Amino acid sequence: MALVVQKYGGTSVKDAERVMNVARRVTNTYKEGNSVVVAVSAQGDTTDDLIEKAKEINPDASKREMDQLLSSGEQISIALLAMAIEKLGYPVISFTGWQAGVLTDSKHSAARIKRIDTERIQTELDRKRIVIVAGFQGINKYDDITTLGRGGSDTSAVALAAALHADLCEIYTDVDGVYTTDPRICKTAYKLNDISYDEMLELASLGANVLHNRSVEMAKKYNVKLSVRSSLNDHEGTYVKEVSKVEKMLVRGVTRDNDCARIALCGVEDAPGKAFQIFEMIARKGISVDLIIQSIGDGKTKDISFTVTEGDLQKTLDLLEENKEFINAREIKSTSDVSKVSIVGAGMVNNSGVAAKMFEALYDAHININMIATSEIKISVLVARKDAEAAVIAIHDKFLLK
Ligand code: ASP
Ligand code: MG
């Protein structure tokens, strides 16, 4: 007998038929003799629809009230799923975040789970009930409802698995698992059988929309064995765990992120401390800078280019404009017609050939590289947005063609 936490995403519970499908899956796991805790998301597009409703009334609504509103989506799902399980004749109880003891900090709309008081869930498991918990939500020390940020139900599930010392946490979604790259872009993409936490973390933060970033961080920290699989078939999913099987293949995935923009400061004074001062000023505004390059300079001036998210572009340009005297650049240029394409794989650092091979793939596809950044586990390049999909395909097929 094992304790299994399952999470079902919005598409998996989008209508009555899908809710019944999930109820059957949950009860099948229960019938095999397991204790089952289920975290669910809001049905289909409910969260987006609620955001629209709020905007009609007040586009600047407070985050507290947004949390009050958005958390209602998950409350609908838990009740409906519990009713479906009752109908199949199994013992079940549903809990909102606070009933389940999910305690968070007070950062509305982006709260972090501090701990879960599992007593009530544990009592119900001991009574042999299936426990359904609303994902994405918790409660802060003032008894106010909080939410964990978009896609946060994954994190709810992993936190429950960690707190309950579950044997397995299964994330059910509408794809078969984690792919080598987005199958909508690249026809030759395929599902990975397993992947390490670190690799998954990079893939998640580089724009592979499979798992909420923080859920992977938490799974790594508490060593929760995760599996990502489809709620619509019985295919084996992808296991996310400490060490992935050592395969010859170094590169595990290719991602594309369109949410970036490039800013170039041309002809900045070539003096020590200049870059520090500029980037500190940007950091103080809470803007994260991703890729950075600086030209060698000729002793008098140099060029510094960097990327920010598209959403932060205007804010960054305004800041640079306000401080243009101090920055004293000959010209400030920007574009959002760029995308970041990255490869991820543990052990790259020891393999000098990997970067060269990636650049060769781009060269063969006649794609120009604007910027490059490398780390122990990933290499990212910035390319023109129109070239991004072709870049993904070229790089994928260079490294990962089966
Ligand atoms: N319903 C929330 C959202 O759509 C949380 C989740 O689905 O994980 O972002
Ligand atoms: Mg959702």
Side-chain angles (χ1 to χ4, degrees), residues 7 9-11 41-48 74 136 150-153:
K7 179 260 173 176
T11 49
S41 296
Q43 292 185 286
D45 297 327
T46 304
T47 311
D48 291 319
E74 272 70 13
F136 176 58
R150 297 305 308 270
S153 298

Side-chain angles (χ1 to χ4, degrees), residues 173-216:
T173 170
D174 55 351
V175 293
D176 279 354
V178 181
Y179 277 69
T180 49
T181 193
D182 187 342
R184 285 166 305 187
I185 297 179
C186 181
K187 297 277 166 299
T188 46
Y190 53 93
K191 192 193 72 191
L192 294 164
N193 292 328
D194 51 56
I195 189 163
S196 71
Y197 293 124
D198 288 328
E199 290 168 332
M200 191 62 232
L201 210 49
E202 288 294 348
L203 288 179
S205 50
L206 289 169
N209 281 322
V210 222
L211 282 176
H212 195 225
N213 214 353
R214 232 149 64 224
S215 70
V216 188

Side-chain angles (χ1 to χ4, degrees), residues 270-281:
D270 193 10
K274 198 73 191 177
F276 160 67
Q277 289 163 328
I278 293 171
F279 287 110
E280 205 217 18
M281 179 174 88

Side-chain angles (χ1 to χ4, degrees), residues 88-195:
L88 297 178
Y90 290 87
V92 62
I93 185 165
S94 74
F95 289 140
T96 62
W98 76 262
Q99 289 172 319
V102 180
L103 305 171
T104 72
D105 64 17
S106 289
K107 196 149 189 274
H108 285 291
S109 85
R112 282 179 174 262
I113 296 176
K114 294 213 288 201
R115 63 169 204 278
I116 302 183
D117 286 343
T118 54
E119 215 181 296
R120 193 154 178 206
I121 296 180
Q122 200 56 62
T123 306
E124 296 298 342
L125 290 176
D126 293 344
R127 297 170 70 186
K128 299 284 173 232
R129 281 180 164 163
I130 296 166
V131 177
I132 315 288
V133 180
F136 176 58
Q137 58 176 266
I139 194 167
N140 69 13
K141 63 179 176 194
Y142 308 108
D143 290 347
D144 281 330
I145 297 173
T146 54
T147 67
L148 310 179
R150 297 305 308 270
S153 298
D154 294 336
T155 301
S156 306
V158 174
L160 285 165
L164 293 162
H165 307 289
D167 299 285
L168 178 63
C169 181
E170 298 179 313
I171 307 284
Y172 283 94
T173 170
D174 55 351
V175 293
D176 279 354
V178 181
Y179 277 69
T180 49
T181 193
D182 187 342
R184 285 166 305 187
I185 297 179
C186 181
K187 297 277 166 299
T188 46
Y190 53 93
K191 192 193 72 191
L192 294 164
N193 292 328
D194 51 56
I195 189 163

